[in-house]
C-alpha cells in the first residue's frame, strides 16, 4: 500500500472530531485570496497548480501549524520568488518592516 | 517610492476593525501583497473589486439552483446531465471547472470533500466553511463518513448508500438535497429559503420547514 | 479532443505510483480498482504544470470505488462508495 505524499495528502489519516464552529473570514484572508486570483489573472503565476505545488512543499510542521490562508501566502511567496517576480531579500526586508510597524502600533 | 505614494498608502491601510495578523506566515502574505502593489502588478482598487466579487457569491446561489430543480423536472434533468450548462441558464458560470450536481435520494446520500486541498465551488457558493478546510474533515470523511456525518447530526440508516466525492481539482460539486415533504405548490423563492450551505455540501440531509406562524 | 480510452461501466485500476512532483491522486486511491461512472472533459495534466513544460490535455474520469475495497476495516454499509476524479494516464483496464 502506498503512503501519503506530502503533508497535504491526509485522506484516511487518523484525526480528531471535526470542529464545526463557524469562522468569519478576516479581511487579510480576503486580501491573500485576492492576491492569488490577481497573480493568476496578471500572469505572475500560470496555473493554480503552482500554488498547490508550493503548499505541498511546506514541511509537515509548517503545514500543520499554518492556517489555510497562511499556507496560500507562503506558497505564493515560494512561487513568486522562484519565478523572480520578487526576490528573497526584498521579501524579508518587507516582513521586517511590517513587524516593526506592528510593534510601533502596539506601543503607540 | 515615497512614503506618500498613493498606492503605497493604500497598500498599507488596514481599517481599525480589520486588524493585521501577527503570525510570521501571515506577515509573509502581507509583505508580498505590499511588494506586488508597490511594483504595480495590481492596484488596491483591483484588489477591492476582486474581494467584492468573491463576497458576492453565497449558498443562496446554490439554493436557487436546487429550488429550480425541484420546481421544474426538465431543469432537474438538465442539471444532473450537464450542470455547467444548466447553471448558465440561471446566469452562473464556473468555467474552467466542470460543475457536477449530485442528487440525494431516499437510498443515496452524497457528501463532498477535497482531501488534497479544499476544492470548493467558491465562485458559486462563496467561502467554504472552516471545517471543510480542516484536516479532521478531510482526513476522516473519506474513511468513516457515517461517523463524521453523525457529528453533523446526520444519522443514516444502513440501507442508505453513502457516496463520498473526493474533489481532486478539475471538477466542482454541489449536492441537490431532497425536496422536503409538505412543500407542494411552494414558489421557487420559498423553496430556496429552505436550502442551507451544509445541505449543498452534504453534511446536512433533512431540510426542516419553518415553524407555522 | 482525444478519444476516451475508457467508457462508463468499465472496471479500471488506478496506478500505484508516486511521482516526485505535484500530482492529484491521493495515496489511499493508488492501486485501487473501481468503475468508470462518468467520462469527463480533458484537462491539463497536473504533473506537467511546471513552467515551460506546458500542460498537455488528458482525459479525466470519475471513478467509483467500493469503500470496502479502499479500507479493509471499513465500518459502514457494504454499499457505500467513494467517487474520485482520475486522469486517463493513471488508469489501466481491470478484470
Amino acid at each position: 500500500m502506498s503512503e501519503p505524499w506530502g503533508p497535504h495528502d491526509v485522506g484516511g489519516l487518523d484525526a480528531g472530531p471535526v470542529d464545526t464552529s463557524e469562522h468569519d473570514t478576516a479581511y487579510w484572508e480576503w486580501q491573500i485570496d485576492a492576491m492569488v486570483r490577481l497573480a493568476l489573472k496578471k500572469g505572475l503565476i500560470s496555473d493554480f497548480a503552482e500554488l498547490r505545488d508550493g503548499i505541498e512543499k511546506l514541511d509537515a510542521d509548517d503545514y500543520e501549524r499554518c492556517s489555510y490562508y497562511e499556507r496560500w501566502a507562503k506558497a505564493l511567496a515560494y512561487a513568486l520568488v522562484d519565478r523572480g517576480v520578487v526576490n528573497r531579500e526584498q521579501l524579508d526586508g518587507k516582513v521586517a518592516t511590517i513587524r516593526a510597524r506592528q510593534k510601533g502600533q502596539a506601543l503607540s | 517610492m515615497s512614503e506618500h505614494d498613493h498606492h503605497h498608502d493604500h497598500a498599507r491601510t488596514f481599517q481599525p476593525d480589520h486588524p493585521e495578523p501577527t503570525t510570521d506566515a501571515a506577515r509573509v502574505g502581507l509583505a508580498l501583497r505590499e511588494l506586488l502593489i508597490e511594483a504595480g502588478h495590481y492596484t488596491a482598487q483591483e484588489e477591492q473589486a476582486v474581494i467584492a466579487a468573491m463576497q458576492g457569491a453565497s449558498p443562496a446561489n446554490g439554493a436557487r439552483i436546487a429550488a429550480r430543480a425541484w420546481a421544474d423536472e426538465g431543469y432537474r434533468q438538465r442539471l444532473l446531465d450537464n450542470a455547467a450548462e444548466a447553471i448558465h441558464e440561471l446566469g452562473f458560470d464556473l468555467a474552467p471547472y466542470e460543475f457536477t450536481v449530485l442528487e440525494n435520494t431516499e437510498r443515496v446520500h452524497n457528501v463532498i470533500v477535497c482531501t488534497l486541498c479544499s476544492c470548493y465551488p467558491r465562485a458559486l457558493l462563496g467561502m467554504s466553511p472552516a471545517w471543510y478546510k480542516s484536516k479532521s474533515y478531510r482526513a476522516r470523511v473519506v474513511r468513516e463518513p457515517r461517523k463524521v456525518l453523525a457529528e453533523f447530526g446526520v444519522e443514516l440508516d444502513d440501507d442508505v448508500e453513502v457516496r463520498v466525492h473526493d474533489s481532486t481539482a478539475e471538477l466542482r460539486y454541489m449536492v441537490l438535497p431532497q425536496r422536503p415533504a409538505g412543500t407542494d405548490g411552494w414558489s421557487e423563492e420559498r423553496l430556496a429559503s429552505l436550502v442551507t450551505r451544509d445541505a449543498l455540501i452534504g453534511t446536512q440531509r433533512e431540510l426542516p420547514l419553518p415553524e407555522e406562524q | 479532443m482525444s478519444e476516451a480510452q475508457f467508457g462508463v461501466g468499465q472496471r479500471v485500476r488506478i496506478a500505484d505510483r508516486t511521482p516526485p512532483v505535484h500530482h492529484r491522486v491521493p495515496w489511499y486511491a493508488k492501486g485501487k480498482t473501481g468503475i468508470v461512472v462518468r467520462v469527463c472533459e480533458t484537462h491539463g495534466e497536473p504533473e506537467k504544470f511546471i513552467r515551460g513544460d506546458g500542460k498537455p490535455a488528458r482525459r479525466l474520469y470519475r471513478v467509483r470505488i467500493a469503500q470496502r475495497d479502499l479500507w479493509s476495516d471499513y465500518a459502514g454499509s457494504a454499499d457505500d462508495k467513494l467517487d474520485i476524479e482520475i486522469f486517463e494516464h493513471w488508469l489501466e483496464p481491470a478484470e
Side-chain angles (χ1 to χ4, degrees):
Chain A
M1 180 121 184
S2 67
E3 33 184 72
W5 186 74
H8 63 290
D9 195 2
V10 302
L13 303 185
D14 291 334
V18 179
D19 176 356
T20 58
S21 58
E22 296 294 326
H23 162 77
D24 265 341
T25 305
Y27 199 71
W28 72 268
E29 294 176 301
W30 285 111
Q31 289 180 310
I32 303 294
D33 189 70
M35 175 165 65
V36 169
R37 283 168 205 284
L38 284 161
L40 264 172
K41 188 176 160 198
K42 305 280 181 176
L44 301 180
I45 56 174
S46 63
D47 196 295
F48 202 78
E50 281 191 53
L51 188 79
R52 294 202 186 100
D53 182 54
I55 292 170
E56 292 163 12
K57 285 196 165 82
L58 295 175
D59 67 49
D61 283 350
D62 231 9
Y63 186 91
E64 293 276 337
R65 202 170 42 235
C66 287
S67 69
Y68 187 71
Y69 280 106
E70 287 175 342
R71 283 179 210 144
W72 276 40
K74 287 197 143 192
L76 187 66
Y78 174 87
L80 294 184
V81 169
D82 194 39
R83 275 174 166 266
V85 175
V86 296
N87 68 51
R88 180 51 68 183
E89 292 69 37
Q90 273 181 309
L91 188 61
D92 290 347
K94 188 59 107 173
V95 168
T97 306
I98 290 174
R99 191 182 288 116
R101 189 170 81 207
Q102 290 178 338
K103 213 172 165 189
Q105 282 166 355
L107 293 175
S108 65
Chain B
M1 274 199 210
S2 84
E3 241 356 70
H4 300 288
D5 179 270
H6 181 75
H7 286 165
H8 201 150
D9 280 352
H10 255 294
R12 288 178 158 212
T13 305
F14 267 81
Q15 295 167 20
D17 56 339
H18 294 145
E20 282 192 332
T22 53
T23 63
D24 282 340
R27 278 192 200 110
V28 169
L30 298 185
L32 194 58
R33 170 183 175 272
E34 290 186 19
L35 288 174
L36 294 180
I37 292 176
E38 284 168 15
H41 289 297
Y42 65 88
T43 66
Q45 286 76 12
E46 285 178 293
E47 173 189 77
Q48 282 161 18
V50 169
I51 292 174
M54 292 311 290
Q55 287 179 335
S58 85
N61 293 336
R64 209 179 128 211
I65 294 164
R68 173 65 58 89
W70 291 341
D72 177 344
E73 173 56 25
Y75 187 79
R76 173 185 157 272
Q77 206 54 58
R78 292 200 295 286
L79 186 66
L80 297 176
D81 290 347
N82 187 335
E85 276 182 22
I87 64 169
H88 217 236
E89 291 176 35
L90 300 183
F92 301 116
D93 188 1
L94 273 183
Y97 301 115
E98 275 188 59
F99 190 55
T100 302
V101 172
L102 311 159
E103 186 183 40
N104 280 352
T105 67
E106 282 297 315
R107 288 278 173 269
V108 174
H109 182 81
N110 295 285
V111 60
I112 300 161
V113 64
C114 168
T115 61
L116 294 177
C117 46
S118 302
C119 297
Y120 188 78
R122 285 278 312 279
L124 185 71
L125 303 184
M127 197 62 97
S128 57
W131 54 258
Y132 185 85
K133 297 180 272 229
S134 72
K135 182 181 173 187
S136 289
Y137 181 75
R138 289 160 49 208
R140 292 179 52 226
V141 79
V142 288
R143 185 171 190 149
E144 42 182 19
R146 287 169 185 268
K147 212 168 152 189
V148 171
L149 287 171
E151 288 170 26
F152 281 89
V154 178
E155 302 280 356
L156 294 168
D157 292 339
D158 273 349
D159 63 354
V160 176
E161 174 185 329
V162 178
R163 283 186 201 153
V164 180
H165 301 266
D166 192 353
S167 176
T168 55
E170 314 298 347
L171 273 66
R172 291 291 180 275
Y173 300 92
M174 185 188 99
V175 173
L176 174 59
Q178 285 179 280
R179 178 174 179 159
T183 58
D184 288 353
W186 284 33
S187 69
E188 280 184 36
E189 197 181 352
R190 199 168 164 211
L191 288 170
S193 71
L194 300 174
V195 181
T196 65
R197 179 197 68 200
D198 287 9
L200 298 169
I201 301 173
T203 51
Q204 182 184 346
R205 184 164 168 85
E206 309 289 338
L207 297 174
L209 305 190
E211 301 280 325
E212 292 289 335
Q213 296 295 310
Chain C
M1 245 190 289
S2 63
E3 193 95 349
Q5 203 184 321
F6 304 104
V8 170
Q10 193 170 348
R11 278 188 77 74
V12 287
R13 183 175 177 273
I14 301 166
D16 188 358
R17 62 168 183 257
T18 300
V21 293
H22 172 73
H23 60 282
R24 297 298 290 176
V25 181
W27 70 280
Y28 70 81
K30 291 173 180 172
K32 303 296 182 181
T33 297
I35 288 171
V36 173
V37 290
R38 182 170 140 199
V39 179
C40 304
E41 306 293 318
T42 60
H43 295 274
E45 180 186 327
E47 295 92 314
K48 297 239 172 87
F49 84 91
I50 294 161
R51 298 174 292 283
D53 291 0
K55 230 184 153 188
R58 299 278 195 183
R59 178 69 60 182
L60 190 67
Y61 298 85
R62 299 193 71 226
V63 177
R64 180 164 295 166
I65 308 169
Q67 286 281 19
R68 288 189 175 176
D69 290 341
L70 283 176
W71 321 103
S72 55
D73 59 351
Y74 185 71
S77 155
D79 291 332
D80 290 355
K81 309 288 195 315
L82 180 127
D83 287 7
I84 187 164
E85 301 148 42
I86 304 285
F87 280 98
E88 192 166 83
H89 64 290
W90 280 82
L91 296 176
E92 60 181 26
E95 290 310 306

